[in-house]
Amino acid sequence: MAGGVAAVIVAAGRGSRAGGAVPKAYQPVGGLPLIRFSLGLFSAHKQIDAVQPVIHADDIHLYTAAADGLNVLPAVFGGATRQASVRAGLEALAARNPEIVLVHDAARPFASPALIGRAVTAGKSGAAVPGVAVSDTIKTVDAQERVAQTLDRGTLRAIQTPQSFAFADLLAAHRRAAASGRDDFSDDAALMEWAGHPVTVFAGETGNMKLTTPDDFMRAETMRLADLSDVRMGTGYDVHAFTEGDHVMLGGVRIPSPRGLSGHSDADAPLHALVDAILGALADGDIGVHFPPSDPQWRGAPSEKFLRFAVDRVRARAGMIAHLDVTLICEAPRIGPYRDAMRERIAAIAGISQDRVAVKATTSEKLGFIGRGEGIAALATATIRLPWRS
Ligand code: MG
């Protein structure tokens, strides 16, 4: 299928200047891996027909988790340089032969949908790049850090991505550069200039920052949290009856018990309550809507599955879970010895730190069905933050 607009998202570099335990593209910004911002933004954009990620082969597992649920093409592996990586993405798109291709660095998570729209329009000229005026005075220096020249600021632009090109021209220029042994172009515009194509500049965005250093990540975290200003709280409640058995599953933890809990799944009441709390905060139905008890595929299912599903619904809206709080109400088993194991498990499933998960327990003072030991109940609240414009 020829025509349309494709986007190449480049994330194959190591980004070692950013520090951190994982490669830059997978470091979290406000609870989401960096690369997910660009993948989500471009794949959801009405003017983009296909998104081609380019990643490092070592990162495939990190990538698979980061891109979970997004509508993008299978990732291809990049090369030794940025230029080689972009070329790998273009070659992967060759059969599709789009009219226009946008090339974007995953290290710029805050490009706006409007900027993508401008890039698509500007790309019809053949080669166009977003640029912003430079506000600092720019000087060139020699090897001894002595000023050689002060440049005329009025003629300078700081160039960003997404850069936008006629696909056939960019692919041909990349192939020619590779054949000529040139692999050192710092961006695709420079390569197109070398190939003799005029390149125009359209309006970039000052917010479209490139994350390079740990400082940049700290600034990005602040920007991201400022954007997550739609704060919501949901509640959940669940009950399961005791039955025969030798253990119960509570908060994802297996606890030895003279009786089990009856239920269609593994009867993990606190996890069920948490799922409803998260879905409640999203105003997105309840656990029974998404996992009908009549559906045999959920028989005996580990409830972690349900919690992961709810967490993914938050991620799909580029949100974050700020806090989960669950209270178990039962006469037995004793919860105290398992509290931290449950917190650890819930935090791991939700992909948040343990200090954002509370597990509490109380009895019902021998009153009612809980007091008679017929079953247990769980209450939960979830606080989530969504982008204001979601
Ligand atoms: Mg239940």
Side-chain angles (χ1 to χ4, degrees):
M1 69 151 252
V5 182
V8 172
I9 307 295
V10 198
R14 299 288 72 196
S16 44
R17 273 179 293 168
V22 293
K24 180 168 86 170
Y26 305 94
Q27 285 189 36
V29 174
L32 282 181
L34 176 59
I35 189 174
R36 192 172 174 100
F37 288 84
S38 301
L39 296 177
L41 176 71
F42 282 79
S43 63
H45 200 282
K46 288 184 182 66
Q47 288 171 274
I48 304 293
D49 302 303
V51 176
Q52 177 60 65
V54 183
I55 64 168
H56 195 287
D58 292 351
D59 300 342
I60 184 69
H61 295 296
L62 290 168
Y63 172 79
T64 303
D68 187 39
L70 293 177
N71 180 23
V72 297
L73 298 171
V76 294
F77 297 142
T81 61
R82 182 186 184 281
Q83 184 185 324
S85 296
V86 173
R87 188 174 158 221
L90 297 174
E91 295 288 0
L93 288 168
R96 179 179 285 268
N97 193 24
E99 181 197 349
I100 290 174
V101 65
L102 272 51
V103 181
H104 185 64
D105 290 329
R108 294 186 188 269
F110 300 126
S112 74
L115 178 64
I116 294 174
R118 290 203 295 282
V120 171
T121 303
K124 291 177 178 150
S125 71
V129 296
V132 293
V134 175
S135 51
D136 293 328
T137 296
I138 308 286
K139 297 179 189 292
T140 60
V141 295
D142 64 16
Q144 283 75 45
E145 289 288 318
R146 281 183 311 227
V147 171
Q149 212 187 343
T150 299
L151 302 177
D152 173 10
R153 208 162 52 183
T155 67
L156 295 174
R157 298 290 179 273
I159 299 303
Q160 310 176 332
T161 67
Q163 303 189 351
S164 184
F165 307 96
F167 175 78
D169 290 347
L170 185 64
L171 178 58
H174 265 273
R175 285 175 174 171
R176 239 178 81 197
S180 326
R182 291 290 309 265
D183 63 358
D184 53 348
F185 291 106
S186 67
D187 70 353
D188 298 280
L191 190 148
M192 287 292 267
E193 293 156 35
W194 167 83
H197 294 279
V199 177
T200 59
V201 176
F202 61 92
E205 291 173 342
T206 50
N208 181 24
M209 64 185 289
K210 183 175 185 179
L211 309 195
T212 305
T213 64
D215 266 7
D216 295 336
F217 272 84
M218 280 174 62
R219 267 204 298 159
E221 195 77 21
T222 309
M223 285 173 68
R224 160 87 172 141
L225 290 178
D227 189 41
L228 288 176
S229 54
D230 188 357
V231 179
R232 290 139 171 252
M233 202 199 73
T235 65
Y237 174 72
D238 196 32
V239 168
H240 282 270
F242 280 113
T243 183
E244 283 164 24
D246 60 3
H247 75 279
V248 293
M249 287 300 293
L250 295 174
V253 174
R254 189 188 164 100
I255 300 174
S257 157
R259 290 178 302 165
L261 289 168
S262 78
H264 192 66
S265 64
D266 66 4
D268 193 327
L271 289 198
H272 296 180
L274 282 168
V275 170
D276 265 355
I278 294 170
L279 293 174
L282 288 170
D284 187 10
D286 61 25
I287 192 170
V289 169
H290 296 286
F291 302 97
S294 55
D295 189 336
Q297 69 168 309
W298 310 123
R299 181 163 303 145
S303 297
E304 290 189 19
K305 243 193 177 148
F306 309 146
L307 184 53
R308 276 185 212 285
F309 169 86
V311 170
D312 284 345
R313 303 286 274 195
V314 178
R315 290 201 179 127
R317 290 173 63 173
M320 72 172 280
I321 292 172
H323 186 242
L324 298 174
D325 184 12
V326 62
T327 302
L328 281 124
I329 311 157
C330 57
E331 305 295 329
R334 282 191 58 224
I335 301 303
Y338 301 97
R339 181 201 311 270
D340 284 337
M342 289 184 201
R343 292 177 62 214
E344 191 180 334
R345 195 72 213 111
I346 293 165
I349 300 164
I352 57 179
S353 58
Q354 211 174 309
D355 64 356
R356 294 181 181 274
V357 179
V359 172
K360 314 188 303 301
T362 186
T363 70
S364 149
E365 297 289 341
K366 309 262 190 257
L367 297 171
F369 74 89
I370 295 170
R372 291 190 298 272
E374 293 167 13
I376 73 166
L379 277 168
T381 61
T383 307
I384 68 171
R385 299 174 62 159
L386 298 177
W388 187 250
R389 292 159 299 164
S390 77

